[in-house]
Amino acid sequence: MLEKGADLCKIAVTANDISDCARVLHVLQAATNPTIMLSMTERGMLTRLLAGKYGSMLTFCSTTSGKESAPGQIAVAELRSLYRFKSIENLTKVYGIIGNPVSHSMSPAIHNAAFKHRQLDAVYIPLLVDDVEKFLKTFDEFKFNGFSITIPHKEAALKCVDVVDEVAERIGAINTIVRLKDGRTKGYNTDWMAAIGAVERALLSLDPEYRRRQEAPLRIREDEGMERPLNGKHVVLVGAGGAARGMAFGAVERGAKALTIVNRTIERAEKLVGEMKSMGKPCECTAMSTAAFQAGEAGQFEVVMNSTSIGMHPNEGDTPVHSDLLRESMVVFDAVYNPRETRLLREAKGQGCVVVDGVEMFVGQALKQFELWTGMKPPIAVMEDAVLRGLKLK
């Protein structure tokens, strides 16, 4: 194009895999003339969002959501407000959420709000990743500063980092990657205490004296020195994936009397049960098929935790637990936060259960991520508000 006398080069390609974006960034870094280059499709969004960091003269966006003229375009208002596009420069630190799907995630909202509040030159972006090992290897040279890991990559990602936190190693899954000062990557699991802490607070809420001591129900508090209300409880955990690993570890670690892990594929549940038994804690761990659980074979239990995406938008009509298995004063936790009130929680509330939505866990794990990435105290209220606004609950 330059040989033909072009003053400006514009190149648009299709990203069939997010790793294809690396070639686009290489071309931009090597360009000596004004260049616009991007990858289309959702897998190519990072080239649009990081245009300013890697030297693309501009990017293309849509006027509003739903009015895209090419796949992967982002609405102009979202570029300006959510991602602070005009402030992204060469030295801007990059964080992102690795998952599939990721378009529903509130992680960009919660972390970008925190970065803005703390006046940090950083941006957090969605990364639609099919193969987490391939992505991390391909993009290691770009030295992104940190990642959140979500479904379905939490277990696979643990094998892709240079160092693993001791607790995350025991859990067997990570949801956080931190770029260390020496360039290596370290994996953590901030899911487990966020989920277990939310369930423990719900159990304590059955005590009238505890209820009187509390602030707003969503406000995250420190749990150090908190009682262990899971002691002696039978916990049913639905799911055996990466998120379930943290919850299973937490239930056993915090004193549950019994843990029943329910999964469609019984072999995965049995594998996780075996790992929980190896912790050496006095907890009776059992694997059970979904069909057996729905038939009532789990017996009496006080806590049920859904770690799966069943009931998540856009499949709000689905539920992982039949309502006739729920009873009054049972604590029912759902890791799904979009919608905030899932069918499971709605039916549990109707049965007189104490319900815990996924927002509290989501905020809790994000607070710890922010601290690990920045070394700063997270702005709790700002991060909570960002999620609630995103879910249109404020």
Side-chain angles (χ1 to χ4, degrees):
M1 284 185 276
L2 294 174
E3 291 177 355
K4 297 294 184 180
D7 296 313
L8 170 68
C9 296
K10 179 206 169 184
I11 305 170
V13 295
T14 298
N16 295 309
D17 184 273
I18 194 169
S19 296
D20 296 339
C21 297
R23 285 176 285 181
V24 172
L25 301 187
H26 285 144
V27 171
L28 287 170
Q29 288 178 318
T32 57
N33 290 78
T35 302
I36 302 168
M37 190 171 183
L38 57 88
S39 291
M40 295 183 291
T41 76
E42 187 182 351
R43 289 169 174 80
M45 279 179 61
L46 75 87
T47 63
R48 296 179 184 271
L49 290 168
L50 302 180
K53 180 176 177 66
Y54 290 99
S56 185
M57 185 176 178
L58 54 82
T59 195
F60 293 86
C61 57
S62 62
T63 53
T64 58
S65 180
K67 298 290 186 180
E68 299 83 5
S69 60
Q73 281 187 353
I74 304 156
V76 62
E78 192 173 333
L79 271 178
R80 286 177 172 173
S81 60
L82 176 57
Y83 297 107
R84 294 184 293 157
F85 179 78
K86 290 189 174 182
S87 69
I88 298 174
E89 299 175 335
N90 181 48
L91 296 179
T92 299
K93 293 183 177 181
V94 179
Y95 301 84
I97 178 166
I98 295 172
N100 189 353
V102 290
S103 60
H104 70 286
S105 177
M106 292 301 302
S107 291
I110 195 171
H111 286 297
N112 283 321
F115 292 155
K116 181 179 180 180
H117 183 78
R118 293 291 188 225
Q119 299 182 322
L120 298 176
D121 184 13
V123 66
Y124 184 105
I125 63 176
L127 301 162
L128 180 58
V129 172
D130 300 295
D131 183 331
V132 65
E133 181 180 9
K134 180 180 179 182
F135 170 78
L136 290 172
K137 282 183 177 179
T138 301
F139 278 85
D140 187 62
E141 64 176 294
F142 296 101
K143 303 301 180 188
F144 287 1
N145 299 87
F147 301 103
S148 305
I149 312 294
T150 190
I151 294 172
H153 299 309
K154 294 185 179 187
E155 294 172 80
L158 181 140
K159 302 174 184 178
C160 302
V161 293
D162 300 312
V163 187
V164 181
D165 173 70
E166 181 184 350
V167 172
E169 186 77 62
R170 292 169 64 192
I171 291 171
I174 61 174
N175 75 316
T176 308
I177 295 177
V178 177
R179 177 76 62 182
L180 302 176
K181 291 182 179 179
D182 62 10
R184 294 181 302 161
T185 53
K186 184 171 183 178
Y188 294 86
N189 191 303
T190 69
D191 277 337
W192 80 274
M193 196 61 240
I196 295 301
V199 168
E200 288 185 324
R201 283 188 288 273
L203 286 166
L204 286 171
S205 74
L206 295 170
D207 176 1
E209 177 58 30
Y210 178 84
R211 285 201 303 270
R212 283 194 292 270
R213 298 200 306 265
Q214 301 315 296
E215 304 167 355
L218 178 59
R219 193 66 63 199
I220 305 298
R221 292 170 293 276
E222 293 294 333
D223 292 320
E224 292 182 10
M226 191 174 77
E227 302 171 53
R228 293 194 174 191
L230 276 172
N231 279 333
K233 299 293 191 296
H234 179 188
V235 178
V236 169
L237 173 61
V238 181
R245 285 179 164 276
M247 295 178 201
F249 171 85
V252 174
E253 181 72 15
R254 300 288 284 185
K257 174 185 70 176
L259 173 66
T260 300
I261 300 176
V262 177
N263 200 59
R264 289 177 298 179
T265 308
I266 188 66
E267 291 78 13
R268 291 203 73 184
E270 289 172 341
K271 182 176 183 294
L272 184 52
V273 162
E275 293 175 25
M276 293 303 105
K277 287 181 176 179
S278 70
M279 290 175 61
K281 300 284 185 178
C283 179
E284 182 181 344
C285 299
T286 307
M288 185 172 292
S289 69
T290 301
F293 171 62
Q294 302 291 23
E297 294 183 20
Q300 295 294 311
F301 50 92
E302 292 81 27
V303 178
V304 60
M305 302 179 71
N306 174 40
S307 71
T308 76
S309 59
I310 297 173
M312 184 173 74
H313 176 79
N315 300 309
E316 292 96 334
D318 298 339
T319 180
V321 182
H322 289 165
S323 60
D324 55 8
L325 296 174
L326 306 172
R327 56 183 173 77
E328 189 174 357
S329 296
M330 181 182 290
V331 170
V332 179
F333 167 84
D334 198 338
V336 173
Y337 64 85
N338 187 9
R340 188 175 185 185
E341 185 178 74
T342 59
R343 177 183 168 187
L344 169 61
L345 296 186
R346 186 168 59 253
E347 292 179 345
K349 192 181 295 184
Q351 297 282 46
C353 302
V354 177
V355 300
V356 185
D357 62 58
V359 171
E360 188 166 350
M361 173 191 172
F362 177 69
V363 173
Q365 59 83 33
L367 294 175
K368 186 61 178 178
Q369 287 181 330
F370 181 89
E371 184 179 342
L372 287 169
W373 289 333
T374 68
M376 302 173 69
K377 186 176 180 180
I380 299 174
V382 168
M383 295 173 78
E384 289 176 350
D385 290 346
V387 175
L388 296 180
R389 284 197 198 96
L391 295 173
K392 296 181 172 59
L393 296 173
K394 291 202 73 170

